[in-house]
Amino acid sequence: MADYLTYVWRPVTGGRHAFPIAATKSPAGVPVVAFCGAEADAAELHDRSEVDWIREDTCMDCWRRITAGWS
């Protein structure tokens, strides 16, 4: 069985958070929730620049929740 990506990292206001893949398909104006519980407008998940990636720190709560199941 193939493994598929189930989350995506996006630099939104307040940090670089992990969101479920389904959040990337949400239209602008719809709130989406990161693994840590942070909310953002779905529009913030699209068209991020390299500067956005550099400016925002990785959310360590998202990181811990995603990596908890890794062996």
Side-chain angles (χ1 to χ4, degrees):
M1 184 167 143
D3 290 333
Y4 296 99
L5 188 62
T6 59
Y7 61 88
V8 61
W9 288 94
R10 288 294 187 263
V12 297
T13 304
R16 190 180 313 116
H17 293 278
F19 292 88
I21 288 295
T24 64
K25 300 183 186 322
S26 298
V30 172
V32 292
V33 180
F35 281 84
C36 69
E39 288 190 26
D41 186 302
E44 288 192 70
L45 304 185
H46 306 289
D47 301 323
R48 304 312 294 191
S49 71
E50 290 180 23
V51 173
D52 296 324
W53 280 92
I54 294 167
R55 187 177 343 173
E56 300 294 346
D57 290 329
T58 297
C59 172
M60 295 313 294
D61 192 17
C62 283
W63 180 263
R64 281 187 289 278
R65 290 169 190 257
I66 288 172
T67 60
W70 293 359
S71 24

